Amino acid sequence: MSDTKSVNSTSSNSTNTKSTSTPASEPSGNIVPTSYMGDFMSFLKGILSFTGDLSALTCPSFLLNGISLLEYGAHWNDYPHVLAEITKATDPEERMKLVARWFVSTLYGSYNKRVAESNSGEKKPFNPILGEQFLASWDDPEFGTTKFVCEQVSHHPPVSAFFFENTNAGIYGSGHFSQKSKFKGTSMKVVQEGRVTLRMKNTDEIYCLTLPNLNICSILSGKPFLEMTSTTFIRSSKGYTAEFQWYTKPMLYGEYHKFDGKIFKDDAAAYVPNASTQEAVYTIKGKWVADSRITNVKTGQQDVFFDVNAQPAAEISIKPIDEQSQLESRRVWQKVSEALESGNYDVASKEKTAIEEEQRALRKERAETDVEWKPSMFVWVEDANDDEAVKACYSYLYPAKDSIGTGSWVFKTSPHIKTPVSGTTPSASGTQTPSDAFSTAPSSVI
């Protein structure tokens, strides 16, 4: 394996080490440079009057954070040992508790860390180009290496697909996400469409996860930050369900980033709120940017569920840019990111425009030559053609969470696939022994 470049300064597994960051409520730093305040006000007027999906608008370069949206998917692996520890559970109830804990561990990095550590507002990531890829890994002294790949599988609408795996622990997952945003009142409402499917080598259980919606608050003040909203679910093929409710801060009182949840057994074919078929197992309560606690319904025993400050996120490794392929995120956006870092927003805009014009030319060429573009690492699988367990889990969730859609983007060499596929619907089995799932990905994967 070639040398990797560390992008974080902390390591993963010291549970007695306190994080140096404190989860933020509202950032104090304005993201708009003083000399660009007029441009910012003009941009605000444009988005306030825009009625479509805001992702279609061009964002001023001074509001960009210099990171591709594909990189955000890597936060599913911020705590790889929390992911790997799921495989230590000996029964479906305990596994569901650990899957839910892992899901909560992914949220701080995904939606709050950038603001908390900089005390400045949330900026916009780059919209990935079609076929763009982001590749990373994490090393853990107990569980070994966790690998991650993400590819932009659609541009209109924008969809990112990802896959992660720890072969030592025998756990892997795939998912995809897409965002639609609109201005409502003084905040931006972001609907996240997509899903995540988690599998393990030592059990035939499957876990199906939905995604939260988001509010982007304080945009008008130039200090935007994210709040999670709506309800999300995790459904296991053994009949256990985790249900989370994410709360926004009330207008005049209360706190930011609170949530509660519950885990229950439900053998019904479809989710119904508070149905009599639900047998309560655990309740969960806390802040997803800080700490939360879980209570056993039968015994009343209460324990720490997950504490962001109890341990730092794992150190992510990414290959140096000069060793990356032409489609890898940091190489695609290198010149734009460098210009943003130096504060040269005019150059950043020119470099970004050049990338976008090249992509338009490629789309036009494909249209004129009737060439269909296909992802290199992922294939679309309709639920009707997937495992019965996957079909049943998402069917259970669909009435309550239609943003999951009716199918999944699946890594072509995912361990559950019997035969490697190339643009066709794969045949799947949840008990297939994993091989090196990254063997057919580009040579720069890791």
Side-chain angles (χ1 to χ4, degrees):
M1 187 169 77
S2 60
D3 293 338
T4 56
K5 180 178 74 172
S6 170
V7 296
N8 286 339
S9 59
T10 54
S11 66
S12 63
N13 253 345
S14 176
T15 57
N16 296 322
T17 301
K18 291 291 182 180
S19 171
T20 57
S21 64
T22 300
S25 52
E26 295 187 33
S28 60
N30 197 304
I31 64 172
V32 184
T34 304
S35 59
Y36 286 85
M37 192 58 69
D39 295 313
F40 177 62
M41 297 308 296
S42 297
F43 175 67
L44 284 181
K45 291 177 182 178
I47 62 176
L48 287 171
S49 62
F50 190 73
T51 58
D53 182 5
L54 292 174
S55 63
L57 293 179
T58 299
C59 182
S61 60
F62 57 82
L63 296 179
L64 299 173
N65 67 6
I67 300 172
S68 173
L69 183 62
L70 285 192
E71 293 202 29
Y72 286 27
H75 291 298
W76 287 98
N77 301 284
D78 276 350
Y79 298 90
H81 65 286
V82 176
L83 171 68
E85 284 171 354
I86 297 170
T87 62
K88 290 186 173 182
T90 57
D91 62 79
E93 182 179 305
E94 179 70 11
R95 269 190 291 274
M96 173 55 86
K97 182 177 77 171
L98 295 182
V99 171
R101 176 175 176 255
W102 163 69
F103 172 64
V104 171
S105 79
T106 70
L107 301 176
Y108 172 68
S110 297
Y111 305 121
N112 189 256
K113 183 178 181 180
R114 292 173 296 277
V115 169
E117 294 190 348
S118 67
N119 200 24
S120 180
E122 184 80 55
K123 289 190 173 186
K124 185 183 181 300
F126 300 132
N127 293 329
I129 65 172
L130 188 63
E132 184 180 325
Q133 301 167 4
F134 179 72
L135 317 168
S137 68
W138 300 257
D139 289 321
D140 183 86
E142 180 179 358
F143 295 103
T145 300
T146 300
K147 296 180 179 181
F148 173 84
V149 297
C150 191
E151 181 179 15
Q152 191 71 4
V153 294
S154 174
H155 187 67
H156 292 298
V159 180
S160 307
F162 60 89
F163 176 84
F164 53 87
E165 180 180 31
N166 184 301
T167 55
N168 288 359
I171 189 166
Y172 56 100
S174 62
H176 66 273
F177 60 92
S178 180
Q179 298 177 336
K180 294 182 178 179
S181 53
K182 288 187 177 182
F183 226 94
K184 186 175 182 180
T186 59
S187 63
M188 188 182 297
K189 308 295 182 182
V190 181
V191 174
Q192 294 205 112
E193 299 183 342
R195 54 169 67 176
V196 178
T197 306
L198 187 69
R199 292 178 168 89
M200 280 156 270
K201 178 181 177 180
N202 63 355
T203 175
D204 61 357
E205 290 173 27
I206 293 173
Y207 292 83
C208 299
L209 295 79
T210 72
L211 306 178
N213 292 337
L214 306 170
N215 280 358
I216 306 179
C217 309
S218 296
I219 295 176
L220 301 183
S221 68
K223 303 174 183 179
F225 65 97
L226 299 176
E227 287 191 286
M228 288 170 52
T229 72
S230 73
T231 304
T232 59
F233 299 90
I234 306 171
R235 176 66 174 175
S236 87
S237 56
K238 295 296 185 181
Y240 286 91
T241 300
E243 179 181 349
F244 295 99
Q245 182 66 51
W246 313 100
Y247 300 108
T248 59
K249 180 183 176 297
M251 183 70 70
L252 300 176
Y253 60 91
E255 298 178 273
Y256 288 105
H257 310 314
K258 296 180 71 174
F259 80 96
D260 57 42
K262 58 184 178 180
I263 295 175
F264 53 87
K265 184 76 161 64
D266 185 8
D267 292 325
Y271 169 83
V272 175
N274 302 311
S276 60
T277 55
Q278 297 176 7
E279 178 186 347
V281 180
Y282 295 103
T283 60
I284 308 164
K285 189 176 292 289
K287 288 187 174 185
W288 56 269
V289 299
D291 65 300
S292 51
R293 302 190 71 83
I294 185 168
T295 302
N296 187 306
V297 172
K298 293 181 180 179
T299 67
Q301 180 178 335
Q302 188 178 92
D303 298 295
V304 174
F305 189 53
F306 186 75
D307 185 352
V308 169
N309 286 329
Q311 54 194 310
E315 183 177 337
I316 187 173
S317 291
I318 305 165
K319 281 194 171 184
I321 291 177
D322 59 2
E323 295 181 20
Q324 295 182 13
S325 74
Q326 295 291 336
L327 283 173
E328 290 186 58
S329 296
R330 296 199 174 184
R331 187 159 182 176
V332 170
W333 299 103
Q334 181 180 9
K335 292 181 180 180
V336 187
S337 297
E338 290 174 348
L340 291 174
E341 189 173 354
S342 65
N344 197 331
Y345 300 115
D346 291 338
V347 171
S349 296
K350 290 178 182 178
E351 294 291 350
K352 179 172 174 288
T353 299
I355 294 171
E356 292 167 345
E357 288 180 347
E358 181 182 16
Q359 291 301 303
R360 293 188 189 99
L362 289 171
R363 288 196 295 272
K364 181 180 179 182
E365 180 182 344
R366 285 193 294 268
E368 291 174 347
T369 57
D370 198 27
V371 173
E372 180 185 4
W373 182 89
K374 292 183 179 180
S376 66
M377 294 192 288
F378 291 86
V379 64
W380 177 256
V381 181
E382 285 286 340
D383 288 341
N385 299 321
D386 212 327
D387 290 336
E388 288 300 320
V390 172
K391 191 186 309 181
C393 282
Y394 285 118
S395 177
Y396 175 90
L397 295 174
Y398 189 82
K401 197 75 175 178
D402 59 4
S403 59
I404 59 177
T406 60
S408 302
W409 283 101
V410 177
F411 193 57
K412 289 183 178 180
T413 54
S414 177
H416 74 286
I417 297 174
K418 292 178 179 179
T419 305
V421 294
S422 179
T424 59
T425 301
S427 174
S429 169
T431 58
Q432 184 72 12
T433 302
S435 59
D436 183 3
F438 293 80
S439 60
T440 62
S443 58
S444 61
V445 165
I446 288 172

